[in-house]
Amino acid sequence: MSSASLRPAGEPDPDSIVTAVLDCSTVAGLSGGVAGEIATYLPGRRVAGLRIDDTTITVHVVGRYGPTMTEISNQVTRAVTPLGAGRRVGVVIEDLQVEERGSTRSAGPPDPYRPLADRPPSTRLH
């Protein structure tokens, strides 16, 4: 049974919203927040990074490094608004993902629990 068949008529479809957000070129992924507290709960599962209430859809994303925060927010808002059943759309940019020599890493602060040898030189704690 799909989430579409379980939701009342006129309610936003969380799966369609997630697909639209992940199709945004400025978005690397969704973020469930620091403790995974940002989510929409559906029967038997949760959709991390998305919160839907009676008036607002809030999307928490990890943006790609390069576009401005405004560009990321505007692209996500344009993608979600037609799916929102008249709700306002809020975008929270939790982090940025930076491309670094063939791999990706977060632009956030260095992880103090990650061994020094595994950290890029510019992020080593001294």
Side-chain angles (χ1 to χ4, degrees):
M1 189 177 281
S2 74
S3 67
S5 63
L6 296 175
R7 58 187 168 84
E11 289 295 309
D13 177 25
D15 294 322
S16 296
I17 292 170
V18 167
T19 298
V21 171
L22 294 177
D23 284 345
C24 292
S25 62
T26 60
V27 173
L30 292 165
S31 173
V34 176
E37 72 278 11
I38 307 301
T40 292
Y41 295 89
L42 300 173
R45 66 189 177 101
R46 56 193 294 274
V47 180
L50 180 65
R51 187 171 283 160
I52 300 173
D53 65 30
D54 292 338
T55 61
T56 308
I57 296 173
T58 307
V59 185
H60 290 245
V61 299
V62 175
R64 294 191 188 282
Y65 182 79
T68 66
M69 300 299 130
T70 301
E71 290 169 336
I72 296 168
S73 179
N74 287 345
Q75 188 178 45
V76 171
T77 300
R78 282 192 306 270
V80 174
T81 298
L83 306 172
R87 289 167 171 80
R88 279 189 341 244
V89 176
V91 179
V92 178
I93 302 168
E94 295 274 352
D95 203 352
L96 293 176
Q97 185 179 53
V98 178
E99 300 291 326
E100 187 178 288
R101 293 185 215 133
S103 66
T104 59
R105 72 172 181 84
S106 169
D111 179 358
Y113 300 105
R114 185 173 171 194
L116 282 176
D118 292 344
R119 294 187 197 153
S122 63
T123 62
R124 292 186 181 156
L125 299 175
H126 298 283

